[in-house]
Amino acid sequence: MTKYVIHGGKPLYGEINISGAKNAAVAIIPAALLVDGVCRIENIPQISDVTLILNILQELGADVRTVNRTTVDIDCSHIRNGRVPEELARRIRASYYLIGALLGRFGQAQVPPPGGCDFGGRPIDQHIKGFVAMGAQVDVHGGYIHAAAKNGRMQGTQVYLDIVSVGATMNIMLSAALAKGMTVIENAAKEPHVVDLANFLNCMGADIMGAGTDVIKIRGVDRLTGGFYSIIPDQIEAGTYMAAAAAAGGEVLVKNVIPKHLECITAKLLEMGVEVEEQDDAVLVRRTGPLSRTNVKTLPYPGFPTDMQPQIAAVLCLAEGTSVLTEGVWDNRYRYVDEFRRMGAQIQVDGKIAVIEGVGRLTGARVHACDLRAGAAMVIAGLAAQGTTEISCIHHIERGYEDIVRKLSGVGADIRVVITPEEDKQAKIG
Ligand code: EPZ
């Protein structure tokens, strides 16, 4: 059992390099299943979700070779259409991309229902609606989702998504790249990772237009061949460090980013009195004075990202005045609020709305990371708080943040990974 121990209250100064985007990587790696040849994928983040999805591909027979720390070669030429192993697939949300990728490649898929962070119900009915419209039969039995295309190949068609869903948009794109004819996704998600997946598939020979708008057209091709691709920088990792600099104060250059992807976050930090200077592939975040209150509503891109909601809440706790936070994507993404209250935060939650009374100063406490972004928010709160914060359940954080302790230590944070002797002894006994 490991935890992060943070001695907070120190401003941050220096530079942080952003890794490749988790939510792009976990779709692009399964997309390699569609390719007949070697895909060299660069800027892969070193996080446990990526390790898991690579392991699943290997279990299916893919040849995965590490070229260097951030580059892998994936060759799925000799893959078999096996069942996706349950114990791996249930540990990650993105395992649902294997349904679209296997349907595209083999016309059939057997994948367990996905796992991932708990924000209330996380249905995949829109993914299934798309597969069914494209001629697949989908049913669930024996703990697996079984999907099979009529005549062994997906058929292009028009799919209107009732809800803007990142996962459904990307999954339908995966199943359509090798389909017969044209697939049109209407009311598609526009997140940067949707565009990144389309760019990856196009690099491998697909014919996809309109990614980044709400209508995506995919003309099915007969074959995808190998090639090189570099994953975009992680919008949410960058936003998390921007929020950390805003909360703790100081001056941090967040490097290797696409500033356009960060505009929704930059806009809110500016409203709060934080200075943000956009450079070509970096943003400089400086906070010296007090933080002002503001209101934030999460929405699909280009709105403020739900995956930054807990982190911005940490900053709002320190602002002067009352802020209103509205969660516009998930039903239940405030489970972390009790942990913040242990640190002195004043937050009232009613359904999708959180009212945050700024307290100016948080105090260190023992808290746990209830999920990935909530864990990141605990780190931010701990960096700003007076005293010592201990964060447990850090495996959630390590699912999505590469080297978070090293990156924060590099800008002067006092954060360490600690293995507690009692828990260690218990772990050995257990
Ligand atoms: C992706 O999840 C991300 N995960 C999430 O990031 C992110 O919070 C979310 O998109 C929204 O941006 C990955 O990319 C692996 P959705 P996804 O389908 O695709 C409803 C993180 O912290 N919905 O866009 O599963 C759904 O309930 C993670 O990195 C349906 O009703 O999200 C939600 O209210 C957490 N039916 C909304 O749509 C469906 O079939 C958006 O979900 C699909 C979704």
Side-chain angles (χ1 to χ4, degrees):
M1 284 287 281
T2 47
K3 45 177 91 163
Y4 293 161
V5 176
I6 302 172
H7 299 290
K10 298 182 173 61
L12 307 176
Y13 289 95
E15 299 181 354
I16 295 182
N17 239 323
I18 297 306
S19 304
K22 170 182 91 82
N23 289 344
V26 296
I28 286 173
I29 292 167
L33 282 167
L34 294 163
V35 180
D36 211 358
V38 179
C39 304
R40 173 158 293 187
I41 309 175
E42 297 171 348
N43 206 27
I44 296 223
Q46 293 222 306
I47 51 176
S48 59
D49 269 14
V50 161
T51 308
L52 255 174
I53 205 96
L54 284 169
N55 287 345
I56 294 175
L57 251 63
Q58 281 176 308
E59 289 289 323
L60 293 174
D63 185 9
V64 177
R65 284 167 202 237
T66 304
V67 178
N68 60 43
R69 211 177 60 83
T70 56
T71 306
V72 292
D73 281 348
I74 305 178
D75 185 355
C76 294
S77 310
H78 305 294
I79 203 146
R80 57 189 180 276
N81 182 23
R83 274 159 75 94
V84 172
E86 189 170 4
E87 64 286 3
L88 294 178
R90 289 179 77 93
R91 283 161 55 191
I92 180 174
R93 186 79 195 152
S95 55
Y96 54 36
Y97 291 128
L98 296 160
I99 311 173
L102 290 169
L103 267 177
R105 171 82 187 263
F106 297 106
Q108 54 172 298
Q110 292 177 51
V111 181
C117 297
D118 176 8
F119 314 135
R122 295 188 71 177
I124 58 164
D125 57 298
Q126 298 302 306
H127 306 228
I128 292 171
K129 174 181 169 173
F131 300 145
V132 170
M134 295 175 71
Q137 189 172 340
V138 183
D139 58 83
V140 183
H141 56 86
Y144 270 71
I145 299 164
H146 297 253
K150 278 187 208 120
N151 308 321
R153 188 175 180 191
M154 298 296 272
Q155 173 75 50
T157 188
Q158 194 144 338
V159 181
Y160 173 81
L161 296 179
D162 302 316
I163 290 175
V164 179
S165 160
V166 172
T169 302
M170 287 159 85
N171 225 344
I172 294 167
M173 201 190 289
L174 288 168
S175 71
L178 295 173
K180 190 162 184 293
M182 169 90 93
T183 303
V184 180
I185 309 175
E186 292 185 343
N187 200 24
K190 297 182 279 216
E191 267 66 5
H193 31 293
V194 173
V195 179
D196 212 32
L197 175 64
N199 287 342
F200 168 81
L201 289 168
N202 283 343
C203 266
M204 304 296 143
D207 184 356
I208 302 174
M209 290 157 293
T213 76
D214 52 15
V215 180
I216 302 178
K217 294 183 178 169
I218 307 133
R219 194 185 304 279
V221 296
D222 289 334
R223 188 166 171 256
L224 299 181
T225 50
F228 291 80
Y229 194 74
S230 183
I231 289 174
I232 51 166
D234 196 308
Q235 175 205 30
I236 305 299
E237 189 199 13
T240 300
Y241 291 122
M242 291 168 76
E251 184 173 308
V252 175
L253 186 67
V254 183
K255 287 169 54 176
N256 181 34
V257 299
I258 299 174
K260 174 89 193 145
H261 294 167
L262 301 173
E263 279 173 359
C264 34
I265 301 161
T266 299
K268 286 292 147 186
L269 292 179
L270 290 173
E271 283 177 23
M272 297 177 76
V274 179
E275 293 169 53
V276 183
E277 187 187 303
E278 282 186 9
Q279 303 178 359
D280 283 349
D281 63 352
V283 284
L284 183 70
V285 182
R286 186 186 304 116
R287 206 269 288 174
T288 45
L291 290 160
S292 312
R293 61 151 303 278
T294 192
N295 297 334
V296 178
K297 178 166 185 173
T298 70
L299 287 169
Y301 191 82
F304 188 89
T306 174
D307 293 345
M308 277 296 299
Q309 184 253 90
Q311 302 92 310
I312 205 75
V315 189
L316 293 173
C317 285
L318 301 160
E320 289 176 351
T322 305
S323 305
V324 179
L325 186 53
T326 308
E327 173 54 47
V329 177
W330 296 107
D331 287 340
N332 184 7
R333 204 170 189 173
Y334 289 123
R335 290 190 316 132
Y336 62 87
V337 161
D338 280 345
E339 303 304 304
F340 270 2
R341 289 192 183 120
R342 291 177 203 274
M343 302 178 76
Q346 289 188 19
I347 309 180
Q348 298 304 321
V349 176
D350 186 2
K352 292 190 162 195
I353 294 177
V355 177
I356 303 176
E357 299 283 348
V359 290
R361 168 176 293 194
L362 296 170
T363 48
R366 284 186 178 182
V367 292
H368 79 272
C370 7
D371 62 54
L372 167 59
R373 307 303 174 187
M378 294 302 139
V379 172
I380 293 171
L383 293 171
Q386 295 299 313
T388 304
T389 298
E390 291 185 12
I391 306 173
S392 56
C393 300
I394 58 165
H395 60 278
H396 286 298
I397 302 173
E398 295 183 346
R399 283 187 36 224
Y401 289 89
E402 176 179 321
D403 273 346
I404 187 168
V405 170
R406 186 186 56 78
K407 289 185 186 188
L408 285 170
S409 302
V411 291
D414 185 345
I415 175 170
R416 284 173 305 130
V417 179
V418 171
I419 301 174
T420 55
E422 320 85 73
E423 283 159 332
D424 202 31
K425 208 191 297 164
Q426 273 174 8
K428 277 181 197 146
I429 294 164

